[in-house]
Amino acid sequence: MKYLIEGGNRLSGSIPVSGSKNAVLPILAATIITGKKTILHNCPDISDVRCTIDILRHLGYGVERQNDTLIVDSTCEGTPQVPPELMRKLRSSIIFLGAFINRFGSAKISYPGGCELGKRPIDIHLAVLSEMGVQIQEDAQHILCDAPRLKGGEYRLSFPSVGATENVMIASLIADCPVTVKNPAKEPEIVELQNFLNAAGANILGAGTDTIQIIPQKTFHDCEYTVCSDRIEAATYMFSAAATGSVLTLTNAPLRDLNRITATLEEMGVYIITKRPDTLTVIPPKRLKPLNLIATMPHPGFPTDAQAILMASLLKADGTSMIVENIFENRYNHVSEFLKMGAEISVSGNTATIRGVNHLQGTTVYAKDLRAGAALVIAALSARGTTVIHDVHHISRGYENMIGKLQAVGAKARIVSDTEPNTMEFRQILPNETTFHSLTQ
Ligand code: UD1
């Protein structure tokens, strides 16, 4: 699959934000500890969710989709093993580790996959679980865990890792006394996991702060939960509006989780009008102001997941901006592709300097990871001529119907198969048509 995008025209109208990828993935893994039925609303139809459903079904659990609702039935026993080919499909498969320890007292998994953003080790996950009493054996392919008993008490993460915090929260529910987690991740997705687990019968406090307390809980009940909207998807369309000089409204937007994005856009001269509870309108200036220095940091700092899409909107800003990437060591995959489009960027270590240019030119580029791909879409929308974006399967991991949503606000964009010619013969994507295959079958 590839995307063809003809840039240069203004977008206008309204885009609905889908459910949060990074919230729903750990919640889906956590459903297995309940041994009950879970109804989850606002679940995006993206390939990472489809892979997680494949894992749940492989484990023996029932999963049904009805529009944006997923019904997970984990009443049967299941099995604590995920085959390597499923594990490798996404990074968040690692959250099944905590879920298996909770449900089975043991786990056998291989190393997770996900975007190539550097080393992405799991040492912090394993260090805390090991301190809690989990016996861990690792070889080149597998991690074997045995947890006859989990010791409660106070544990400190050496870095506020999102995944490690989620694993520890889920595993800790079977500890022999309350668990206190110090220096946890404070991302909104951590709060979502707490709220979901509490809705199913757990008693967890403090998610979103510097200390999380987990009261052990072994029995749960059926539950119904609505997943929050995706703050990074919302940010992507906010930066798209800024980069193309377009007035765009977002509905179903997670306003509370967008403060850092909104503040950054305001610094760039963009007006954001919010209408509670979940609607905002982005009104950009004629030309965006550059940012002196912006650094990615754990929440509530500027999110690393929005670094590439921010950079895409700074490519034509009125001056020079500097970005420092502090979370992942290999997260400038988009830079080489922006350069092909005429951007002026230099990277030294983890610092990127972006000199705003007057024009970007459409050309052939490659999506090398999820957010790098989304950033290329933004650059393409603001470029002259047609951009061909290859390897868009990375984008489908985290964006529901991105091309359809952009078409609905006037973007000239198409999804075509790799073998089709790069012509912009325009055709509206119908709702729920996310891939070329689904268009043709
Ligand atoms: C999650 C998000 C991802 C986001 C990231 C940071 C999901 C599915 N993914 O990823 O989109 O970019 O948070 O906000 O929710 N680290 C270690 N050892 C560990 C764990 C992490 O060194 O055991 C390092 C990582 O290599 C990385 C940094 O810590 O450099 C942050 O990783 P972490 O917060 O764990 O991110 P993920 O949970 O993988």
Side-chain angles (χ1 to χ4, degrees):
M1 289 300 116
K2 58 190 176 189
Y3 291 172
L4 302 188
I5 295 175
E6 193 179 298
N9 64 313
R10 289 239 159 79
L11 312 175
S12 104
S14 164
I15 296 182
V17 181
S18 298
S20 163
K21 167 178 101 67
N22 287 354
V24 76
L25 298 177
I27 288 176
L28 282 171
T31 58
I32 75 164
I33 72 167
T34 65
K36 301 283 178 193
K37 260 198 180 162
T38 304
I39 300 174
L40 293 176
H41 301 294
N42 204 30
C43 297
D45 188 7
I46 53 178
S47 67
D48 270 10
V49 167
R50 289 193 286 271
C51 288
T52 307
I53 293 171
D54 287 346
I55 294 178
L56 288 166
R57 288 187 177 141
H58 176 88
L59 299 174
Y61 305 118
V63 188
E64 231 185 275
R65 184 184 268 281
Q66 291 168 5
N67 302 316
D68 75 348
T69 297
L70 288 176
I71 302 157
V72 185
D73 181 347
S74 65
T75 47
C76 76
E77 184 54 21
T79 156
Q81 290 187 23
V82 181
E85 60 278 14
L86 287 179
M87 273 307 282
R88 273 197 295 270
K89 284 195 173 158
L90 69 170
R91 167 80 177 172
S92 70
S93 54
I94 191 62
I95 310 305
F96 281 96
L97 182 63
F100 288 161
I101 289 170
N102 181 310
R103 176 133 188 193
F104 303 102
S106 68
K108 181 182 178 188
I109 58 166
S110 54
Y111 292 91
C115 286
E116 293 300 330
L117 306 177
K119 292 197 293 288
R120 304 193 84 180
I122 53 166
D123 55 315
I124 301 168
H125 304 232
L126 300 184
V128 181
L129 291 172
S130 161
E131 264 185 79
M132 297 179 87
V134 178
Q135 290 153 23
I136 301 168
Q137 281 182 310
E138 284 188 85
D139 62 30
Q141 260 126 45
H142 294 104
I143 307 162
L144 287 161
C145 292
D146 196 20
R149 173 173 166 261
L150 229 65
K151 289 179 287 182
E154 186 173 304
Y155 300 93
R156 185 175 188 84
L157 270 57
S158 57
F159 176 84
S161 152
V162 173
T165 304
E166 291 163 348
N167 257 330
V168 171
M169 282 167 77
I170 296 170
S172 294
L173 287 162
I174 56 156
D176 55 9
C177 64
V179 172
T180 302
V181 184
K182 293 280 188 187
N183 197 32
K186 292 186 278 197
E187 269 67 1
E189 295 76 26
I190 302 293
V191 179
E192 279 292 289
L193 181 61
Q194 167 183 280
N195 292 348
F196 162 70
L197 288 167
N198 287 350
N203 188 0
I204 303 177
L205 301 162
T209 74
D210 289 321
T211 304
I212 300 178
Q213 279 185 301
I214 301 125
I215 313 298
Q217 176 74 33
K218 290 180 183 134
T219 54
F220 296 90
H221 47 72
D222 290 351
C223 97
E224 190 164 353
Y225 188 78
T226 300
V227 176
C228 69
S229 297
D230 197 306
R231 63 193 172 106
I232 305 299
E233 190 203 10
T236 303
Y237 296 124
M238 291 167 82
F239 284 118
S240 301
T244 55
S246 309
V247 176
L248 275 187
T249 293
L250 300 189
T251 56
N252 198 29
L255 297 189
R256 198 193 46 197
D257 301 332
L258 287 168
N259 290 342
R260 198 65 187 80
I261 300 294
T262 299
T264 303
L265 279 163
E266 283 171 349
E267 236 184 285
M268 293 162 70
V270 177
Y271 284 102
I272 312 276
I273 300 171
T274 53
K275 273 197 210 140
R276 304 278 159 190
D278 65 359
T279 303
L280 65 82
T281 298
V282 181
I283 306 171
K286 262 199 165 145
R287 191 162 185 192
L288 295 168
K289 291 189 215 161
L291 295 173
N292 277 346
L293 175 67
I294 184 152
T296 64
M297 300 292 275
H299 195 77
F302 190 86
T304 175
D305 284 351
Q307 179 257 106
I309 55 177
L310 165 68
M311 193 188 288
S313 67
L314 290 171
L315 298 177
K316 295 201 304 179
D318 191 12
T320 298
S321 308
M322 204 183 274
I323 297 181
V324 178
E325 171 56 57
N326 285 316
I327 307 296
F328 290 105
E329 76 268 28
N330 184 21
R331 204 163 199 181
Y332 284 134
N333 281 331
H334 36 289
V335 169
S336 59
E337 308 310 291
F338 287 158
L339 294 177
K340 291 180 194 166
M341 300 177 76
E344 289 189 18
I345 307 165
S346 58
V347 175
S348 168
N350 64 344
T351 302
T353 305
I354 303 112
R355 281 166 298 276
V357 293
N358 288 330
H359 302 290
L360 294 170
Q361 184 61 46
T363 185
T364 296
V365 290
Y366 292 81
K368 296 182 185 170
D369 67 58
L370 165 59
R371 305 302 170 188
L376 288 176
V377 171
I378 296 176
L381 290 169
S382 67
R384 287 174 165 174
T386 301
T387 301
V388 182
I389 307 178
H390 287 280
D391 294 341
V392 296
H393 59 275
H394 286 295
I395 301 176
S396 320
R397 287 190 39 220
Y399 289 88
E400 183 173 63
N401 191 22
M402 186 187 224
I403 293 298
K405 288 185 184 187
L406 287 170
Q407 283 183 347
V409 291
K412 291 185 177 166
R414 295 180 66 203
I415 306 173
V416 297
S417 77
D418 286 325
T419 52
E420 265 197 276
N422 298 332
T423 55
M424 276 306 301
E425 184 201 325
F426 183 68
R427 184 152 83 81
Q428 187 81 33
I429 300 247
L430 301 171
N432 299 329
E433 285 184 339
T434 50
T435 67
F436 182 76
H437 285 303
S438 65
L439 286 171
T440 53
Q441 274 163 13

